[in-house]
Amino acid sequence: MELIRDNERGLITGVCAGLGAYTRVDPIVWRMAFAVTGLAGLTGLLLYIGAWMAMRDPNRGPAMFEQLLNRRIDERAVVALLGLGLAIAAALSLVGGVRWGTLMLATPLILGLLVAHNRGVDLRRTYRELPGLLKSAEPPPATPEPEPKPAYYNPAQPWAQAPAGPVDLAVVARITAGRSAAPARDAGEDDDGDTDGPDADEHDGHDRRGRRGSRRQRRAERRARRGTRLTGFALPAIVAATGITLGVTEAPVQEALLGPETGPLYLGSVVVIIGVALLLGTWFGDPRGLIVLGVAATALLVLSAAVDLTGQRFGAEEWRPRSVADVRQGYTLTVGVAELDLTELPLEPGQRVDVDATVRYGRLEVLVPEYARVEVRGDAAFGEVRVDGSTQSGTGVRLRRVLEPVAPPEGAAAPAGGARGTGGAGNTEGAEGTEGAGGADNGASPAGGRGGEGGGADEAAPTLVLDLDSRFGELEVRRVAA
């Protein structure tokens, strides 16, 4: 069997179909191997491109590498280089410790070596001969010339001139058969070919029952040829892996199966189980349904390795902190609508409180008290940020704004009028000669004077520092009377 790309059975370029025909392994297994290894630093994509450049086209013309190097590449060297490249990538992934990418690369590598050994391939001899195969200076195969296409003459078109070439006798036979007399009708059939007579209904009933029986028989024969459904092997093994994971870890079920610590190991074992079942399906058994399970398990594996699935939050949230300790933990919503009400948060004069809130996809509305000084830092990768009438929208939005207090805290005395009135009375009494009272009032007059300037109220106002973030959505900050 030659190693060529098979465009007829291939999905994209025919690489997996050609490798499957050459190695006698189902092309689905090759597609799964390239897909799984592609999750580890795009290794599978690079290997796929390399195989495409090293394999000859369906017409058995020279491969791209053969044309670039001007030498023949042995078919055995192509498969051996694929395995060598996968082994090198798995070894490089071990730098810095075992990661989930190591599992994605080592699993297909080990399964491939086991299959090759089971097929009787001498791996040691193959890789010992690989340098000699690569050093070969034999010229690449020549591109075969296309065979001449015969020009057929259609006798059904007598007005057409007969070109040079053979005559299509099949067309002549069909025309001759069409001109012959119609075959005699069977007894008991009318002009429409339907059976007439008193036994017509009974005959139709027997035909329908016979067709149903033949369909059942064909389905039973197909099931017998396919063998046992391998999902019956994979599902109990997955249940056993789940039980072992829950038994070893003391974390809750969701944290143990999808958490960032044990989730990748558990889901990796599920992918390995499904891969083994698919591998067995290349020789015996029915692997139907395993592809869907494998794709779902692989997607969960990638997500659990990239993000903390157990920490995701969805829906609608209302956050109303009642103490400063409540806001220190921060607020996060993955998808949905959230409202953060800070109007009931007890704040002391001059106090500074940092508040972090994130809604990755959705809307976040923050309510702040009027008596507080608010520093807003709003970031949105794509969306809109509104702060007390100011609006910015688009991509990469970064809005920085400071909202000064517009009202004193509830129950506090007005800072402006009272301070000025006290200072004025003190100065008047001192001028009238009431030395004791005037001296006391004059001693307090600097404070009264600062109050008259109005700076004491702003300096004593608490400060809220809002760090708001969104990837795709809307952020809004509004002042509300406490």
Side-chain angles (χ1 to χ4, degrees):
M1 178 66 68
E2 293 182 274
L3 180 59
I4 58 174
R5 299 194 300 270
D6 189 352
N7 292 338
E8 295 183 358
R9 296 194 304 160
L11 297 180
I12 302 177
T13 61
V15 170
C16 295
L19 288 171
Y22 181 75
T23 59
R24 293 178 292 132
V25 175
D26 196 305
I28 295 177
V29 178
W30 282 99
R31 296 183 184 113
M32 288 292 297
F34 282 118
V36 170
T37 55
L39 301 175
L42 300 179
T43 302
L45 179 60
L46 297 177
L47 293 177
Y48 186 89
I49 295 175
W52 174 76
M53 297 182 67
M55 294 174 61
R56 295 167 188 165
D57 57 29
N59 296 326
R60 293 169 177 78
M64 186 173 294
F65 276 145
E66 291 179 329
Q67 298 179 25
L68 294 175
L69 301 175
N70 195 25
R71 64 178 59 184
R72 181 185 296 269
I73 298 178
D74 194 273
E75 299 169 345
R76 295 173 297 169
V78 176
V79 181
L81 288 174
L82 286 177
L84 182 61
L86 185 57
I88 294 174
L92 293 176
S93 67
L94 293 173
V95 178
V98 178
R99 305 172 183 174
W100 70 273
T102 306
L103 181 63
M104 295 293 96
L105 297 173
T107 301
L109 177 62
I110 295 173
L111 292 178
L113 295 177
L114 292 175
V115 172
H117 180 72
N118 187 42
R119 293 289 180 87
V121 178
D122 191 348
L123 298 173
R124 183 179 302 177
R125 179 181 176 183
T126 300
Y127 284 100
R128 190 185 300 117
E129 295 176 352
L130 182 60
L133 296 176
L134 297 178
K135 292 180 181 179
S136 175
E138 187 177 354
T143 303
E145 297 181 359
E147 299 180 359
K149 297 181 179 180
Y152 293 103
Y153 168 62
N154 189 354
Q157 300 175 352
W159 60 86
Q161 184 178 1
V167 177
D168 194 347
L169 298 180
V171 177
V172 178
R174 286 196 297 270
I175 294 175
T176 305
R179 293 175 180 176
S180 61
R185 300 188 184 93
D186 295 336
E189 291 186 356
D190 57 11
D191 293 338
D192 296 333
D194 297 332
T195 303
D196 294 333
D199 297 333
D201 295 337
E202 183 179 357
H203 178 73
D204 293 341
H206 282 300
D207 287 344
R208 285 194 295 270
R209 286 193 295 271
R211 286 194 295 270
R212 285 197 298 268
S214 61
R215 282 197 296 269
R216 293 195 192 98
Q217 185 177 2
R218 286 195 297 270
R219 284 197 296 267
E221 291 176 354
R222 284 197 298 269
R223 284 195 297 268
R225 286 196 302 268
R226 289 171 180 164
T228 306
R229 291 287 291 268
L230 292 178
T231 51
F233 157 76
L235 292 179
I238 294 173
V239 172
T242 305
I244 294 173
T245 304
L246 296 178
V248 172
T249 59
E250 298 180 357
V253 176
Q254 184 178 4
E255 184 71 22
L257 301 182
L258 301 176
E261 296 181 0
T262 58
L265 295 178
Y266 164 71
L267 294 172
S269 64
V270 173
V271 172
V272 171
I273 291 172
I274 296 174
V276 171
L278 284 172
L279 187 62
L280 295 176
T282 60
W283 290 287
F284 60 88
D286 186 2
R288 287 184 303 167
L290 292 176
I291 296 296
V292 178
L293 290 177
V295 171
T298 304
L300 285 176
L301 175 60
V302 174
L303 290 176
S304 65
V307 298
D308 184 6
L309 294 178
T310 59
Q312 306 305 307
R313 299 291 182 267
F314 304 89
E317 293 285 348
E318 292 185 1
W319 300 313
R320 303 180 185 277
R322 301 301 177 88
S323 66
V324 177
D326 293 340
V327 301
R328 289 175 180 171
Q329 60 184 358
Y331 302 95
T332 302
L333 182 67
T334 305
V335 179
V337 179
E339 178 183 280
L340 176 58
D341 189 352
L342 301 176
T343 58
E344 299 181 5
L345 184 66
L347 299 174
E348 299 179 359
Q351 187 179 13
R352 185 181 180 89
V353 179
D354 295 331
V355 182
D356 297 334
T358 300
V359 175
R360 293 190 177 94
Y361 305 95
R363 186 175 187 274
L364 171 62
E365 182 179 11
V366 183
L367 307 179
V368 297
E370 293 181 338
Y371 65 85
R373 184 174 183 271
V374 183
E375 298 179 6
V376 182
R377 306 168 185 170
D379 297 327
F382 183 84
E384 184 177 76
V385 180
R386 292 197 299 269
V387 180
D388 197 30
S390 298
T391 302
Q392 289 187 12
S393 59
T395 59
V397 179
R398 295 173 59 86
L399 181 58
R400 304 291 185 266
R401 189 176 175 189
V402 178
L403 305 179
E404 299 296 341
V406 297
E410 184 179 355
R420 281 194 297 269
T422 303
N427 291 332
T428 302
E429 291 174 3
E432 290 176 353
T434 308
E435 184 176 357
D441 291 338
N442 286 333
S445 63
R450 286 191 300 269
E453 293 175 1
D458 291 345
E459 292 177 0
T463 301
L464 291 173
V465 181
L466 305 181
D467 286 327
L468 311 178
D469 184 65
S470 173
R471 294 181 183 174
F472 186 95
E474 180 181 345
L475 302 176
E476 182 179 6
V477 179
R478 292 193 298 111
R479 285 194 286 202
V480 180

